[in-house]
Amino acid sequence: MSPSVPGPRRAPTRGRRAFAATWWGQAWVTALEDSTLDSARLSRGRTYARQGMVGPVTIAPGQVKAAVQGSRPRPYRSAVHLPVLTDAQWDTLLDTVAARAGHLAALLDGEMPAELVDDARHAGVPLLPQPTELDPECSCPDWGYPCKHAAALCYAIAATIDADPFVVFALRGRGREEVLGQLRARRTASQATSTPSAPAGLPAAGAYAAWTARAEHTPPLPELPEPAPHTAALPAAPPPGTGLSTADLERLMADTATRAARLLTGDTTNLHLTQHQDAVRIAASNPGPQWFHHLIQNTGAKPNAFARLTRAWRHDGPTGITVAEHPHAPDPTAMTTARTALTEALTEMTTAPVALRAWRNRLTLPDHGIQLRLGPDTRWYPYTQDDGEWWPAAPADPDPVTALTSVWQQTER
């Protein structure tokens, strides 16, 4: 059965703004730009896309096609190919989507959950494209890879991916309706295998009333004691060749006990972490240089990038990692209000004029090496620049001016 995919559509143009407004749309653009060192052809491709020279786009399994008008009267036939997933990879991806109800809810709401992409990648399924996977094709005589016409097509389709993350699924081989149908089939099969003799439930109002009546006559639970230090020793050494020492396993046991104690108190902050986030969490607990090295090696992260995420966790936990890794398009009103407040504060903090640049959820003071990032929790995360890279510098704050002043003195010394 052929996948159900969107039909031809006119690719939107975006003037001089960025072609992608979401992090997954930007991932598509990044894959294109990282696939070549020919910046001149990319620049021409951006110009062509902005000028509306990309015709109606056809999305099909493994490819996106369109006619792109060049310098000649007759447009060129351009396409970009992307490997489709195997049946086994699709089974893994659909299981990953079905594992959390929030994944499907986010997709239906037009969002691509970062956790879904991370979980799929760790399971060996590349949902978003890698630079080596994009394969451009064009009928023009240009030998560029990609040529400016295929590059224009890639830029033009980014806005479509922004608006509908199911386009990525279609490019990987299965369209929206087929994916939803297979997810429904999984849910039906799961319900059919559940215990048939389960007792009938009670109406919610009646169950709540009964619970309330019991609770009024039930003494409150005692306060939980502080978790005792882990002193138990392992009965045997780890098997040879695992790379683990007894001290390593005892540290993991202590970490597990501490997290379990927090869960009993109702703290679920660190409950749903990806493998990538959990590695950062462990590194942030100062396990020692050897652990830090192994965590970097086993996650495949770059040392500097991993160190920045570790600092982000120490300041703000999982949300700090999200802010560090994923720029997003926030409410324009929030950005305008913050920019006005910062401009007023800066006139009191310095007599010299201060440049303040805005990009997506970031406000940057380039002359002072300071950047404020608006997080999904509406707090402002302060960053400072070191050797051309932005590092988390202090805990987030709901007030952008407070976030600015928390790092102002650091940069003015």
Side-chain angles (χ1 to χ4, degrees), residues 48 51-55 66-76 78 149 152:
Y48 277 20
Q51 292 177 348
M53 300 176 77
V54 179
V68 181
Q69 184 65 55
S71 56
R72 299 181 181 179
R74 185 173 182 177
Y76 296 109
S78 297
H149 311 102

Side-chain angles (χ1 to χ4, degrees), residues 17 20 38 96 100-101 123 155 167 175 228 363 377:
R17 294 177 295 168
D38 194 337
T96 302
R100 297 192 196 179
Y155 282 117
V167 171
L363 295 174
D377 54 359

Side-chain angles (χ1 to χ4, degrees), residues 126-320:
L127 182 54
L128 293 176
Q130 300 299 309
T132 54
E133 291 186 303
L134 295 180
D135 184 17
E137 177 187 2
C138 189
S139 63
C140 75
D142 188 352
W143 51 265
Y145 194 85
C147 68
K148 52 186 173 290
H149 311 102
L153 172 58
C154 270
Y155 282 117
I157 198 64
T160 304
I161 294 172
D162 263 353
D164 183 6
F166 278 100
V167 171
V168 178
F169 288 77
L171 289 172
R172 287 299 193 181
R174 298 184 186 180
R176 179 191 186 97
E177 294 307 317
E178 186 174 0
V179 169
L180 294 179
Q182 291 172 350
L183 289 173
R184 284 193 293 269
R186 275 169 164 72
R187 183 175 58 190
T188 302
S190 175
Q191 292 172 346
T193 57
S194 61
T195 305
S197 58
L202 295 174
Y208 181 75
W211 176 84
T212 304
R214 287 196 303 272
E216 291 176 353
H217 300 89
T218 303
L221 294 173
E223 292 291 329
L224 288 172
E226 290 294 324
H230 174 70
T231 56
L234 291 174
T242 62
L244 293 171
S245 67
T246 300
D248 291 336
L249 292 181
E250 289 178 347
R251 176 182 281 276
L252 288 173
M253 290 168 60
D255 178 71
T256 302
T258 301
R259 295 184 73 190
R262 289 176 179 168
L263 285 174
L264 289 174
T265 66
D267 181 1
T268 60
T269 305
N270 302 337
L271 182 58
H272 300 293
L273 299 180
T274 65
Q275 183 178 353
H276 168 66
Q277 292 171 330
D278 202 43
V280 174
R281 178 191 67 83
I282 293 173
S285 66
N286 294 314
Q290 185 175 6
W291 268 58
F292 194 84
H293 171 74
H294 286 319
L295 288 168
I296 291 175
Q297 187 178 41
N298 292 332
T299 56
K302 295 180 180 179
N304 264 7
F306 193 81
R308 285 197 298 275
L309 294 181
T310 301
R311 187 182 294 182
W313 179 281
R314 287 173 180 159
H315 286 314
D316 297 290
T319 309

